[in-house]
Amino acid sequence: MGLEWMAWTWQTALFFVVIFGSIAFMGFLEYRNPGGAPRRGVLGLDTTRGDRLFITCIGSAFIFLGWLGVMGTPLWGALVLGVLWGGFVFWKV
């Protein structure tokens, strides 16, 4: 197909499936419960579900980049920290 130069691995495909799945799930939640009622969290921001997803994705990206810069591979520790960060954001932010 001419995509050999992109180095598609199952991990890369899984990454994109999770991102697109998260966006689709947020769309489904918005369809079922429109508005998403903003709430004020520990950061003092009024955030909706979409805002919290964005904060989680950006924060996880920085966690992974920081892990790569300091610890290198493997990235299992960064994955654990990213999941914990996502849980914290959706719970408290």
Side-chain angles (χ1 to χ4, degrees):
M1 242 186 173
L3 297 177
E4 297 83 29
W5 61 275
M6 293 178 69
W8 282 91
T9 63
W10 68 269
Q11 295 93 340
T12 306
L14 181 63
F15 172 78
F16 283 104
V17 165
V18 168
I19 294 295
F20 291 131
S22 298
I23 293 170
F25 183 66
M26 287 294 163
F28 171 74
L29 289 177
E30 188 65 25
Y31 176 75
R32 275 192 89 202
N33 184 13
R39 66 177 195 219
R40 184 172 294 265
V42 295
L43 298 178
L45 302 171
D46 289 331
T47 59
T48 63
R49 289 185 295 252
D51 297 333
R52 290 187 290 274
L53 177 63
F54 181 74
I55 292 169
T56 297
C57 290
I58 294 296
S60 295
F62 280 110
I63 289 169
F64 273 84
L65 289 173
W67 186 278
L68 276 172
V70 175
M71 304 293 284
T73 57
L75 297 173
W76 295 112
L79 179 63
V80 169
L81 290 176
V83 168
L84 291 174
W85 168 249
F88 172 76
V89 167
F90 274 90
W91 179 46
K92 286 288 191 180
V93 173

